[in-house]
Amino acid sequence: MNVHHAITEISGPTITEQLTDFIMDCEYSTVPDEVIQRFRMFILDYLGVALTGSYSRSSEIIAQVVEELGGKETATVVGRSYKANAALGALVNGTTGHAVEMDDDHRTSVLHPAVAVVPAAMAAAELVGAKGDKLIEGVICGYELMCRIGDAFLGTMYDEGFHPTGACGVFGAAAAAGKILGLDRDQMVAALGIAGTQAAGLEEWKTDGSWIKRLHPGKSAEAGILSVLLAKNGYTGPSTIIEGVHGFLKAFSFERKWDVNMILDGLGTEYRGYGTSFKPYAGCRFYHQVIDATLALTSEHKIDAASVKDAKVRVYRTAYQTLCTPKSRRYRPTSVVDAQFSIPFSVAASIIHGPVMPVHYSEEAIHDPAVLDLCARVEGIPDDEYEKGYPARFPTEVTINTYDGRSVTAYRDLPSGDPENPIYEEKGRFEREIVEKFRALLGYLPDYADRTDTMVSRLSALGPQDDVTELLSLFTPAGRA
C-alpha cells in the first residue's frame, strides 16, 4: 500500500480531472446490465427508507422549515405535499433518508452513498425533465466518486472527528447533479472544486445523541446542487481540491495519511459503488453482523429472552468505542439516536423482537422495560486483533449464556446485505432482498400500501422511458398508483 501526503506541484491531470473524465465517459448504454440493475435497486432502497424516515420528528422539522422558506417549486420532497427549489429539496430528502439508519452503506469507505447522491440526482433530474436513464447515470457517477474518495482515508476519517458521509458526500452529489445537468469538462472540474470546500460533518453528535448526523447527507446533497449550478454559470473551483497542499485529503485525514491509489485504481473499469451494501436492519451498520450472529443463535438453539442469562459481544475496537460507550447512554438510551448506536440495546431488541426495524427504535420503544432489562446483561468487549481486520471486515463473536447452563457462540465478519457475503452467490438474491426490505418498510405505511406494487415494478425497470418527476410523485401524499 502506497501512503501519500499532500503535494505542492501537480504533474499531469489532477485527481479531479481524472474523476471528471470518468463522469464524462459514463453512459447508460455502455454500463453493464448487472450494474444498471444494481443501481435501480439502490434507488428503490433509498426511496423506501426516505419515505419511512419522513415520519421522523427530525424530518418533520426540516421539511417545515424548508416549506416556510419557499422558493421555486421544482423538486419533489419525499413524503410531503409541497415542492421545493432544487437545493432545498435535496437538503430535505438527504436528511430524511438518514433518519431511521436503514440507508445503504459502503463498507470500506465507511459511508452512506445513497442519502447524499440520490437526492441531488433527483433534484437535478427534475430541473431539466430528465428521464430514468439519466438519473441512473448520475447516481452511478455519484456513488463512484463518493466511495472512491472515502476509500482513500483507509477507514480512519472517524478518528479525525469527521463523518465520511458528510465530508465525501459533496463530491458524490456534485458528480451526480453535474452529469445529469450536462456540465462540460471544465464546468465539472470547477463544480467538484466548489463542492470540496463545502465538505463538513462533525462526529460530535455522539456526545449527546442529537440529530446533526442526519443533516450531514442533506447538506452534502444541497452543496452538490449549489456547486453544479454555480459552475454552470461560470463560478470557478480548484482542480487540485482533492490532493493539493491545502486540499481535501490533507484537511480531513487522520495523521495526514491516505492512499491516492484507492481513488484511481480501476477507475472506469471497476464500479466501486457496485459493492455498496443495503441494511436489512435499522441502526448502525457497524453492528449488523452482531444482529446476524444473535439471530442465528436464538433461532438455531431456540433461545428466547426469558432464557438468556447474559450475552457477550466481542467486536473490533472501532465498533466498541462507537456502540458500547459511553455506557450511561448505550445501556439506558436517552434518545432514539442513542439506541440506534447501541450494541447492548440492539442485541436485546433483536432477541425479543427478531430482525430490528425502525419501529423498534421509536421514542416509546427505547424505554421498553423488557428490552432495557435484557440490555443490562449484554457486555461489549473490545478486541485489538479484530480491529486489524477493519474496515475490510467487521470481525465479531457473540456468545449467549442461558439460565439452563448452555453457552453458544457465533462468529461473523461480513453482515447480511453486504454483496461480498457468500449468501449472495445465489443469483438475484441481493436484489430480491432489497425488494423484500422495501415491501416490509412500506407495510408500516398504510397510506402508500396501494402503490407498493407500482413502485417496485416501475423502479425495477427504470430506464429511458420513465419521467422522473412522475415516478417521484408516487412517494408523496398526492401520488397515485
Side-chain angles (χ1 to χ4, degrees), residues 3 18 29 112 126 132 140-141 150 167 171 180 191 197-199 211 215 229 237 253 268 333 366 378 391 437 461 469:
V3 177
Q18 293 179 66
S29 60
H112 305 273
E126 291 198 271
I140 290 173
C141 290
F171 295 106
I180 293 168
T197 202
Q198 299 177 77
W211 288 335
L215 189 62
L229 294 177
S253 60
I366 67 171
V378 179
K437 170 189 169 181
T469 296

Side-chain angles (χ1 to χ4, degrees), residues 431-442:
E431 288 76 12
R432 186 173 69 249
E433 287 190 2
I434 289 179
V435 172
E436 291 171 354
K437 170 189 169 181
F438 180 87
R439 291 185 179 280
L441 287 174
L442 270 290

Side-chain angles (χ1 to χ4, degrees), residues 257-324:
K257 295 178 182 178
W258 58 82
D259 186 358
V260 171
N261 294 330
M262 297 298 288
I263 303 176
L264 298 176
D265 285 355
L267 182 64
T269 58
E270 172 199 341
Y271 291 92
R272 197 79 57 81
Y274 183 81
T276 299
S277 308
F278 72 91
K279 284 185 174 185
Y281 317 121
C284 179
R285 184 61 172 168
F286 280 177
Y287 62 61
H288 278 213
Q289 77 287 349
V290 176
I291 297 175
D292 285 336
T294 300
L295 294 176
L297 290 173
T298 56
S299 174
E300 180 180 350
H301 299 282
K302 296 180 172 52
I303 295 172
D304 59 19
S307 65
V308 176
K309 180 180 179 181
D310 59 55
K312 301 185 184 302
V313 182
R314 183 176 296 276
V315 291
Y316 52 104
R317 183 168 291 277
T318 295
Y320 174 83
Q321 291 172 339
T322 301
L323 307 172
C324 295

Side-chain angles (χ1 to χ4, degrees), residues 284-456:
C284 179
R285 184 61 172 168
F286 280 177
Y287 62 61
H288 278 213
Q289 77 287 349
V290 176
I291 297 175
D292 285 336
T294 300
L295 294 176
L297 290 173
T298 56
S299 174
E300 180 180 350
H301 299 282
K302 296 180 172 52
I303 295 172
D304 59 19
S307 65
V308 176
K309 180 180 179 181
D310 59 55
K312 301 185 184 302
V313 182
R314 183 176 296 276
V315 291
Y316 52 104
R317 183 168 291 277
T318 295
Y320 174 83
Q321 291 172 339
T322 301
L323 307 172
C324 295
T325 64
K327 291 185 177 181
S328 60
R329 294 202 335 276
R330 295 297 173 251
Y331 285 89
R332 291 281 172 176
T334 59
S335 71
V336 169
V337 175
D338 284 345
Q340 289 172 329
F341 287 82
S342 168
I343 281 178
F345 182 91
S346 299
V347 167
S350 63
I351 290 173
I352 291 174
H353 300 297
V356 284
M357 298 292 279
V359 67
H360 301 123
Y361 295 91
S362 68
E363 289 287 354
E364 180 180 3
I366 67 171
H367 300 295
D368 182 345
V371 175
L372 294 177
D373 177 67
L374 184 53
C375 174
R377 287 175 268 142
V378 179
E379 179 186 3
I381 304 169
D383 190 298
D384 290 330
E385 284 300 311
Y386 282 4
E387 180 70 14
K388 294 176 182 178
Y390 164 83
R393 290 290 189 271
F394 291 175
T396 298
E397 181 185 79
V398 176
T399 299
I400 297 178
N401 299 306
T402 63
Y403 285 113
D404 61 10
R406 290 178 292 164
S407 181
V408 294
T409 299
Y411 176 85
R412 296 288 188 277
D413 65 2
L414 276 180
S416 56
D418 191 307
E420 291 187 32
N421 191 307
I423 64 176
Y424 299 112
E425 292 175 4
E426 177 187 340
K427 185 175 176 60
R429 177 170 176 171
F430 186 85
E431 288 76 12
R432 186 173 69 249
E433 287 190 2
I434 289 179
V435 172
E436 291 171 354
K437 170 189 169 181
F438 180 87
R439 291 185 179 280
L441 287 174
L442 270 290
Y444 289 96
L445 309 177
D447 291 343
Y448 293 87
D450 63 337
R451 310 180 206 177
T452 304
D453 289 344
T454 301
M455 291 169 169
V456 170

Side-chain angles (χ1 to χ4, degrees), residues 134-149:
K134 294 301 177 183
L135 179 69
I136 291 173
E137 284 179 0
V139 172
I140 290 173
C141 290
Y143 271 60
E144 203 63 18
L145 264 70
M146 191 171 171
C147 294
R148 285 177 171 273
I149 293 170

Side-chain angles (χ1 to χ4, degrees), residues 39-55 76-79 93 96-97 100 102-104 114-115 118-119 122 135 143 434 437-438 441-442 445 448 455-456 458-459 462 468 471-476:
F39 277 88
R40 288 176 178 136
M41 291 296 100
F42 288 153
I43 295 169
L44 172 75
D45 184 56
Y46 160 77
L47 286 168
V49 172
L51 190 58
T52 302
S54 71
Y55 289 83
T76 297
V77 180
V78 174
N93 289 331
T96 294
V100 295
M102 284 194 82
D103 47 303
D104 64 17
V115 281
V118 179
M122 286 164 35
L135 179 69
Y143 271 60
I434 289 179
K437 170 189 169 181
F438 180 87
L441 287 174
L442 270 290
L445 309 177
Y448 293 87
M455 291 169 169
V456 170
R458 294 278 301 276
L459 285 160
L462 182 65
V468 173
L471 178 63
L472 293 178
S473 72
L474 292 172
F475 294 85
T476 68

